[in-house]
Amino acid sequence: MKLKLVIILIACVLLFGSSVPIGSASGDDFNAVVRAIEQFYHVKHQNIPLLARAGMKAAKTAARIRGGEYKRLAEAGSARVAFFEEQNFDSHGQIGSFKASMKNALAETWSPLVQTLAPKNEEQNYIFVRELGKNFSVLVITIERHEATVVEATVAPQILAQLMKDPNEMGKALTEDATIDP
Amino acid sequence: MKTLFQHSLKAITVSVLLLAATSVTVRAQSARLQIDQLDSLANKASETVDVKLDEHLMQLTAKFFVSKDPDDAEIRDLIKGVKGIYVKSFTFEKEGEYSPAEIDSVMSQLRGGAWSKIIGVTSKKDGDNVEVYLNTAGDQINGLAVLSIEPKEFTVVNIVGPINLEKLVQLEGQFGVPYLNLPPPKPKVEKKNP
């Protein structure tokens, strides 16, 4: 009996441990976008110690946003973050190709809400939205010359409605809270 | 026999309703400009902004401005019936980096048909040009388009649904609609009875 329990525990650790890098089950669109960035720019998202920090930030993000200006923006534990820090994001004038590869990485259920590109500075922002039961998933991808962030958060429809008033701020609110230490 | 007649009547009613609904959708769709071909300008632009709030998202959004808050009420009124807001804006480093031919795909859609230009402001000094078009069917407004053509910037805003100039001005800075420097709408003149 004990042996069975140990085997189950090991299986659980292996199953969930393998998804630690970006804090979720593999095969979803969040991971697909992270992979698309890695493949296109030949970069790697952060390793485990930094990712632990990312996980903490994600939790903080959810909590801070819930109690802050954008109340209940994210439900606890629903924000997921992947960081790319101190790396070189150079599209060699092919930002359009990256945009296409990211689009391919995402399922059709995602609606593009906002996209801003500044190729000269290698700056890109993308916000995608999709329905998730009664709530919505918001995927924010921010890429700059030396860093990038991918944030996925679950928001209540009422909050999405408020945020739609200023879609650019929606991306900033989520990304800044996920990446700037309080 | 009566049952057959009732069934036929039902089927006809449903068909007519479906046709009517399709016709409304087609009319609303005609106010949606095809602007994706402008994406080729992104290769030359120093900055590109692309906002898409489609019908589904707009309907969902409208549903949740339900509080008694006056701001919510104002927004609810503003976006009532709006079936989509689409914005594309391109900023260039130098003048002449885009040509009239490159924006003709949009301009040609606005020539004739249900579209009519209601405002055209040209600044000879700065070379700025703002044009506002309405898509109408009889008295009904199906949509609106704004083109802001500047030497180093090109912006197109397309709002599908019953929207007038007053509402457009109120929407500036919200829902991805940029500030368009539109002339203020003329105040309504009340007719005096003799």
Side-chain angles (χ1 to χ4, degrees), chain A residues 93 96 99 103 111-121 129 131 136 157-158 160-162 164-168, chain B residues 39 42-43 45-54 56-58 60-61 64-65 72 75 93 173-176:
Chain A
K99 198 175 147 182
K103 240 182 185 175
S111 303
L113 196 66
V114 181
Q115 297 181 16
T116 62
L117 309 175
K120 198 182 169 189
N121 304 323
V129 180
E131 283 184 77
F136 286 85
Q158 295 90 327
L160 179 71
Q162 291 295 329
M164 292 256 290
K165 284 195 285 185
D166 194 345
N168 279 318
Chain B
D39 286 349
N43 299 327
S46 57
E47 203 178 317
T48 303
V49 177
D50 188 344
V51 178
K52 276 182 197 167
L53 304 180
D54 62 19
H56 183 54
L57 276 174
M58 288 306 297
L60 283 165
T61 307
F64 291 101
F65 288 106
D72 268 17
I75 285 168
E93 275 192 345
Q174 297 188 88
F175 294 97

Side-chain angles (χ1 to χ4, degrees), chain B residues 19-39:
Chain B
L19 263 174
T22 313
S23 139
V24 168
T25 312
V26 167
R27 254 190 292 152
Q29 286 302 315
S30 72
R32 166 120 192 240
L33 292 172
Q34 298 304 312
I35 55 175
D36 283 346
Q37 59 273 46
L38 292 172
D39 286 349

Side-chain angles (χ1 to χ4, degrees), chain A residues 22-91:
Chain A
I22 36 188
S24 73
S26 59
D28 61 24
D29 289 340
F30 178 83
N31 285 340
V33 164
V34 171
R35 269 198 303 274
I37 294 172
E38 288 182 336
Q39 282 167 9
F40 187 87
Y41 287 104
H42 305 290
V43 291
K44 280 269 169 214
H45 69 269
Q46 305 306 41
N47 55 20
I48 290 165
L50 283 169
L51 284 162
R53 186 182 133 211
M56 280 172 65
K57 278 189 179 176
K60 273 184 199 168
T61 302
R64 279 185 62 205
I65 295 170
R66 283 200 329 157
E69 191 184 351
Y70 300 102
K71 286 175 200 160
R72 296 174 192 211
L73 175 64
E75 289 178 2
S78 63
R80 300 159 68 187
V81 185
F83 287 106
F84 298 82
E85 285 180 336
E86 293 168 17
Q87 297 184 63
N88 195 27
F89 290 87
D90 187 351
S91 65

Side-chain angles (χ1 to χ4, degrees), chain B residues 61-76:
Chain B
T61 307
K63 234 183 354 189
F64 291 101
F65 288 106
V66 288
S67 77
K68 286 176 184 172
D69 187 319
D71 285 352
D72 268 17
E74 195 181 311
I75 285 168
R76 203 165 50 233

Side-chain angles (χ1 to χ4, degrees), chain A residues 67-168:
Chain A
E69 191 184 351
Y70 300 102
K71 286 175 200 160
R72 296 174 192 211
L73 175 64
E75 289 178 2
S78 63
R80 300 159 68 187
V81 185
F83 287 106
F84 298 82
E85 285 180 336
E86 293 168 17
Q87 297 184 63
N88 195 27
F89 290 87
D90 187 351
S91 65
H92 303 286
Q94 299 297 315
I95 273 186
S97 305
F98 169 69
K99 198 175 147 182
S101 66
M102 202 176 53
K103 240 182 185 175
N104 288 338
L106 286 171
E108 281 178 7
T109 46
W110 290 96
S111 303
L113 196 66
V114 181
Q115 297 181 16
T116 62
L117 309 175
K120 198 182 169 189
N121 304 323
E122 292 289 347
E123 286 177 11
Q124 302 170 72
N125 293 288
Y126 303 89
I127 304 176
F128 294 89
V129 180
R130 79 167 166 190
E131 283 184 77
L132 192 71
K134 286 178 185 172
N135 291 324
F136 286 85
S137 253
V138 182
L139 185 64
V140 184
I141 301 142
T142 311
I143 299 175
E144 291 173 17
R145 196 175 287 282
H146 296 295
E147 60 182 56
T149 317
V150 182
V151 178
E152 186 184 9
T154 305
V155 298
Q158 295 90 327
I159 303 307
L160 179 71
Q162 291 295 329
L163 288 169
M164 292 256 290
K165 284 195 285 185
D166 194 345
N168 279 318

Side-chain angles (χ1 to χ4, degrees), chain B residues 1-109:
Chain B
M1 190 64 183
K2 195 183 171 188
T3 320
L4 182 69
F5 175 72
Q6 278 176 337
H7 277 300
S8 305
L9 197 66
K10 261 186 193 173
I12 290 166
T13 312
V14 169
S15 307
V16 168
L17 283 173
L18 274 172
L19 263 174
T22 313
S23 139
V24 168
T25 312
V26 167
R27 254 190 292 152
Q29 286 302 315
S30 72
R32 166 120 192 240
L33 292 172
Q34 298 304 312
I35 55 175
D36 283 346
Q37 59 273 46
L38 292 172
D39 286 349
S40 58
L41 289 175
N43 299 327
K44 292 188 273 182
S46 57
E47 203 178 317
T48 303
V49 177
D50 188 344
V51 178
K52 276 182 197 167
L53 304 180
D54 62 19
E55 184 172 1
H56 183 54
L57 276 174
M58 288 306 297
Q59 281 177 353
L60 283 165
T61 307
K63 234 183 354 189
F64 291 101
F65 288 106
V66 288
S67 77
K68 286 176 184 172
D69 187 319
D71 285 352
D72 268 17
E74 195 181 311
I75 285 168
R76 203 165 50 233
D77 184 46
L78 263 180
I79 62 171
K80 192 177 173 187
V82 170
K83 293 180 172 68
I85 298 177
Y86 307 92
V87 180
K88 276 192 197 282
S89 181
F90 304 91
T91 308
F92 301 89
E93 275 192 345
K94 294 175 208 156
E95 289 186 16
E97 280 197 272
Y98 74 99
S99 67
E102 286 172 290
I103 58 169
D104 193 56
S105 59
V106 176
M107 301 293 284
S108 61
Q109 293 174 62

